[in-house]
Amino acid sequence: QVQLVESGGGLVQAEDSLRLSCAASGRTFGSYAMGWFHQAPGKKREFVAAISWNGRITYYADSVKGRFTISRDNAKNTVYLQMNSLKPEDTAVYYCAASLLTSSTPTRDYDYDYWGQGTQVTVSS
């Protein structure tokens, strides 16, 4: 049983920065690969970034490479998404997720087992 709660979303202007946090409760947070996904209005949920259980491997969607950084602090049971140079196209609900597949770092939503409620990020143009 893992509970995930996202925070840090809000309304910002293009080119602004924002850091999302995902706080986990439950056991063995440090054993999970973690990911961020987002869902824009009228769109399907899509992959944003992922990080391995030990933080040594990261993956990013092409649309956010060079702008977003995923990180984790297992001592604090928290994963972060630093978002720089935000664009209106980044507007979406952002979800964090935990995967039991710790032998790899998944980028597909069906490889994740636990999900947060989401936090809204709105980037004005």
Side-chain angles (χ1 to χ4, degrees):
Q1 179 74 6
V2 176
Q3 295 82 42
L4 304 172
V5 180
E6 303 93 337
S7 62
L11 175 63
V12 298
Q13 295 181 327
E15 303 302 320
D16 280 356
S17 295
L18 205 59
R19 188 175 77 158
L20 305 183
S21 298
C22 176
S25 61
R27 48 185 279 115
T28 62
F29 170 80
S31 297
Y32 300 134
M34 300 292 295
W36 286 96
F37 293 77
H38 70 192
Q39 186 168 21
K43 303 291 185 179
K44 295 181 178 179
R45 186 161 59 189
E46 62 184 12
F47 170 75
V48 176
I51 187 167
S52 61
W53 71 272
N54 59 9
R56 294 185 177 182
I57 301 171
T58 58
Y59 293 114
Y60 298 93
D62 289 342
S63 61
V64 307
K65 286 181 180 177
R67 299 189 298 121
F68 291 9
T69 303
I70 188 171
S71 62
R72 68 190 298 161
D73 186 339
N74 288 351
K76 297 182 178 180
N77 289 353
T78 303
V79 63
Y80 304 96
L81 185 68
Q82 178 67 47
M83 304 186 294
N84 297 328
S85 302
L86 282 162
K87 304 175 180 180
E89 307 93 90
D90 298 319
T91 295
V93 177
Y94 283 72
Y95 301 89
C96 68
S99 175
L100 298 176
L101 298 176
T102 56
S103 61
S104 62
T105 306
T107 60
R108 293 165 293 193
D109 55 2
Y110 54 78
D111 283 326
Y112 284 83
D113 303 282
Y114 303 100
W115 294 83
Q117 300 299 305
T119 185
Q120 177 70 48
V121 172
T122 302
V123 184
S124 66
S125 60

